Amino acid sequence: MSNVIGNQSRELRELKTANLQPFHRKITERLYQTRFKVFKENHLIVDKSKCIQCADKPCILCCPANVYRWDGSKESGRLIVEYDGCLECGACEVVCPYSKITLTYPPAGHGVNFRYG
Amino acid sequence: MVSERFDAIVVGAGPAGTSAALAMARKGLNVLLIERGEYPGAKNMFGGLIYRWPLEEIVPKFWEKAPIERFVTEHRYLILSGGSGLTFSFKDLKWGTPPYNSFSVLRANFDKWYASQAEEAGVLLATSSTVTDLIWDEKQVVGVRAGERSGNEVYGDVIVAADGVNSRLGVKAGLRKVCTPQNVALGVKEIFELPSETIESRFNLQRNQGTALLALGVTRGMMGGGFIYTNRQSLSVGLVIPLDHLMKLKIEAYQLLDEFEAHPIIAPLIDGGRAKEYSAHLIPESGYYGIPQLFTDGFLLAGDAAFLCDVQYFEGTNMAMLSGLLAAETVIEAKKKGDFTTRTLSRYSERLNSSYAVKELYRRRNVPKFLGGNPRLFGTYPEVLNRAIGELLSMDGKPKETKRKAVLKDIRKRVGYLRLIRDVLGSRSMLP
């Protein structure tokens, strides 16, 4: 797959590095408009025992809402899970190479409630 | 929710679940429809279109009462590269008049309306209720549990799980596994509010007409694409990429969405739109081979939970509704026979296998593999095509023959003729 990226045209490479204003917005700005009814408990059950040895930590990149982030150094840091912006898509559970993430659903109508959808 | 008994319990008030509940209630069954969102649609998101069939058979002339955004009269396909793009468009104005063809909708409105139709038919709808477990009697599913506390148990002859792509109940019933990066795509979407006149002039539409726009070449050479669906006073702008491809790119999906929205051909369409909502959802994309076992004693799977979704024509809600209807037919038959074991419930699979949904998925069974294993379709080809057409249309004094040779050289170098032929042959899997 890497050769595909290597083959990309100059225009595409320029686009990648281009200043993408005014459309480029932080994820927090995007999520700000989405309606959440945050529950007091985390509905994402994460067993963090494998996080340190997990090389790619795909949960961090694949989560469309930046729920996951790494705090601290590579060797001694830890995974922070900020579930309140979770869109309940399940991507984190799917990509975790150690199957250590379980998506459960917030109870009683809590969590994200799309107004458009 | 108190301990009570129903003929059928449907979990998930999306297109599949509501169709099943509605069809069963019309035949006099006592049906409970459970939805975990505050209202039906609260947890649901899709690109943007529903199709006329099979909904028109369930609710005749639904377009007169359903919260439709626009009647789609144009399908536009864009092959983008850098700052250029090739556009194909098909427009048919008869699609703007009854009985129409496809419809842009917003799920929070549409699903709510659809569930209200089921309620009118006698379905008991319970919202804000999260089903956490199945209740078993030996090998047979006999009910569901909502919440942690005991007492929140409800029993039914059959449980229809229409609980979406991540179907917790399908997994608990042992019929399917958790999704894998290879069999689902991630969709991210934003709603941009714009005045309806602005949308109509930008997309060259008459009042109430709509456009479905799909774009290739916006996923950095990985499988996937961008979309814009016109709503009455907003645009649904999104991007879909299989999770395994996203993992290889090592960037966030919303960054790809950013790039799509900022593409010089796309940006003017969205310009000035007020962002109203950002959402994400997984899409089952493994086609025919991804369909799990769909029944066990006292239990059926429908809709996304059953992985009934087509990657090529973006069919999902229609297949969901159809599976809901067939599940309902099966439950009605089971009730008549008084047998809710696999002996009767296996008829659901038979019905689905001979239905439009599974026949179509079978016909295009090799498409997911062809598209997923061929990043050239989404990166190299869009670039080569754009460059070739751009060159031929630039009158700069260079002979066209030289340009043609340069294009062929480009193809030979970046793709190779043999590969090109193989890809053309491979694309036969996409034939209707």
Side-chain angles (χ1 to χ4, degrees):
Chain A
M1 219 49 82
S2 58
N3 64 332
V4 176
I5 293 169
N7 272 343
Q8 273 173 355
S9 68
R10 192 167 49 82
E11 297 97 297
L12 209 65
R13 280 202 301 274
E14 274 171 7
L15 181 72
K16 267 187 233 171
T17 51
N19 181 4
L20 296 172
Q21 298 292 339
F23 290 95
H24 189 79
R25 278 158 301 133
K26 285 198 193 100
I27 192 66
T28 44
E29 285 173 60
R30 288 183 198 271
L31 285 170
Y32 179 71
Q33 298 292 342
T34 304
R35 185 167 157 260
F36 292 97
K37 197 171 140 193
V38 180
F39 188 60
K40 58 185 191 296
E41 284 165 38
N42 187 355
H43 61 281
L44 298 161
I45 301 164
V46 187
D47 171 355
K48 299 178 183 172
S49 60
K50 297 281 182 192
C51 293
I52 292 252
Q53 69 191 80
C54 181
D56 289 339
K57 306 192 203 320
C59 56
I60 296 175
L61 279 172
C62 291
C63 171
N66 262 12
V67 163
Y68 298 87
R69 71 187 161 83
W70 192 251
D71 183 39
S73 71
K74 222 174 172 181
E75 299 77 27
S76 63
R78 64 194 183 104
L79 191 71
I80 308 282
V81 185
E82 285 164 336
Y83 71 95
D84 48 350
C86 174
L87 297 166
E88 295 163 37
C89 73
C92 54
E93 176 184 83
V94 177
V95 300
C96 177
Y98 298 95
S99 305
K100 294 293 183 194
I101 301 177
T102 307
L103 168 74
T104 68
Y105 294 132
H110 283 84
V112 71
N113 278 288
F114 296 130
R115 290 169 301 138
Y116 296 83
Chain B
M1 212 184 297
V2 290
S3 192
E4 219 181 310
R5 223 195 138 70
F6 291 87
D7 292 325
I9 300 169
V10 182
V11 182
T18 298
S19 300
L22 179 51
M24 289 189 285
R26 279 184 183 164
K27 292 284 180 188
L29 268 64
N30 182 17
V31 184
L32 173 66
L33 176 59
I34 308 179
E35 165 59 42
R36 70 186 180 92
E38 269 191 326
Y39 41 85
K43 304 287 182 180
N44 297 350
M45 174 278 243
F46 78 155
L49 295 192
I50 58 161
Y51 303 101
R52 193 174 77 220
W53 186 88
L55 183 55
E56 65 176 341
E57 289 183 8
I58 308 167
V59 185
K61 294 195 177 170
F62 66 87
W63 50 83
E64 288 174 1
K65 36 204 163 174
I68 302 293
E69 292 291 320
R70 284 176 184 273
F71 306 112
V72 175
T73 49
E74 186 195 8
H75 286 259
R76 207 184 282 184
Y77 303 91
L78 274 62
I79 300 176
L80 300 177
S81 170
S84 69
L86 178 66
T87 304
F88 299 92
S89 153
F90 181 78
K91 195 162 189 169
D92 193 337
L93 294 176
K94 80 164 186 272
W95 287 345
T97 56
Y100 309 103
N101 180 50
S102 58
F103 311 80
S104 59
V105 306
L106 296 167
R107 293 292 294 278
N109 300 332
F110 178 80
D111 290 17
K112 209 184 290 171
W113 167 81
Y114 194 30
S116 75
Q117 301 298 298
E119 281 187 284
E120 274 176 32
V123 169
L124 179 62
L125 172 68
T127 54
S128 297
S129 302
T130 307
V131 171
T132 49
D133 213 348
L134 297 172
I135 303 169
W136 297 80
D137 180 8
E138 293 186 12
K139 267 172 68 253
Q140 185 158 346
V141 181
V142 294
V144 296
R145 194 167 284 123
E148 300 300 319
R149 284 171 297 146
S150 61
N152 281 343
E153 289 168 351
V154 56
Y155 294 85
D157 290 334
V158 180
I159 314 302
V160 179
D163 55 341
V165 58
N166 288 308
S167 182
R168 306 288 91 169
L169 299 185
V171 175
K172 280 183 197 289
L175 295 184
R176 44 161 290 184
K177 299 197 166 65
V178 169
C179 303
T180 66
Q182 290 74 34
N183 69 16
V184 287
L186 176 63
V188 287
K189 175 173 120 169
E190 277 193 286
I191 299 286
F192 289 105
E193 196 176 69
L194 280 168
S196 51
E197 306 80 54
T198 308
I199 293 172
E200 282 148 20
S201 70
R202 282 184 191 177
F203 287 85
N204 190 19
L205 298 167
Q206 301 284 321
R207 203 175 155 69
N208 296 333
Q209 293 178 351
T211 298
L213 181 156
L214 300 164
L216 286 186
V218 294
T219 42
R220 296 196 185 188
M222 292 295 169
M223 180 180 173
F227 63 80
I228 301 180
Y229 294 103
T230 55
N231 303 314
R232 213 152 38 83
Q233 295 184 69
S234 65
L235 300 175
S236 294
V237 182
L239 187 127
V240 175
I241 180 167
L243 269 179
D244 53 344
H245 290 230
L246 182 65
M247 286 165 82
K248 280 176 200 154
L249 273 187
K250 297 199 192 305
I251 57 166
E252 290 93 347
Y254 52 83
Q255 196 176 332
L256 288 174
L257 180 60
D258 263 339
E259 291 175 7
F260 174 58
E261 290 170 357
H263 189 283
I265 289 174
I266 298 297
L269 297 171
I270 313 170
D271 187 40
R274 276 185 51 194
K276 299 300 279 183
E277 184 172 86
Y278 171 69
S279 53
H281 212 281
L282 294 182
I283 307 161
E285 290 215 324
S286 47
Y288 178 77
Y289 294 117
I291 303 173
Q293 159 100 9
L294 298 171
F295 58 90
T296 187
D297 293 319
F299 185 88
L300 297 173
L301 274 183
D304 271 6
F307 262 61
L308 298 168
C309 194
D310 177 83
V311 297
Q312 189 183 341
Y313 291 91
F314 312 101
E315 295 176 83
T317 47
N318 59 343
M319 293 185 174
M321 288 175 186
L322 183 58
S323 68
L325 291 181
L326 299 178
E329 272 180 34
T330 311
V331 176
I332 292 159
E333 185 190 336
K335 177 137 178 88
K336 270 187 201 141
K337 288 187 185 166
D339 169 45
F340 303 98
T341 66
T342 54
R343 210 168 2 178
T344 306
L345 295 191
S346 63
R347 292 274 298 123
Y348 174 51
S349 254
E350 289 167 25
R351 284 189 167 93
L352 259 179
N353 286 341
S354 55
S355 76
Y356 167 83
V358 174
K359 275 186 177 163
E360 283 288 288
L361 291 173
Y362 180 73
R363 170 78 198 167
R364 294 196 287 279
R365 62 196 177 281
N366 293 319
V367 172
K369 200 175 150 205
F370 173 67
L371 296 179
N374 195 339
R376 287 184 291 284
L377 295 173
F378 304 91
T380 315
Y381 289 142
E383 283 169 38
V384 169
L385 198 59
N386 271 274
R387 204 185 133 192
I389 292 171
E391 281 287 321
L392 291 173
L393 294 179
S394 308
M395 310 312 158
D396 49 10
K398 278 188 224 148
K400 304 245 184 332
E401 195 190 356
T402 318
K403 292 183 176 186
R404 176 173 57 92
K405 283 179 179 161
V407 167
L408 291 177
K409 196 180 156 198
D410 197 29
I411 294 175
R412 200 169 59 231
K413 221 177 72 197
R414 299 187 53 188
V415 185
Y417 291 140
L418 202 64
R419 249 201 211 156
L420 179 66
I421 292 166
R422 233 177 21 216
D423 288 346
V424 171
L425 292 178
S427 68
R428 283 180 310 172
S429 62
M430 300 177 73
L431 281 177

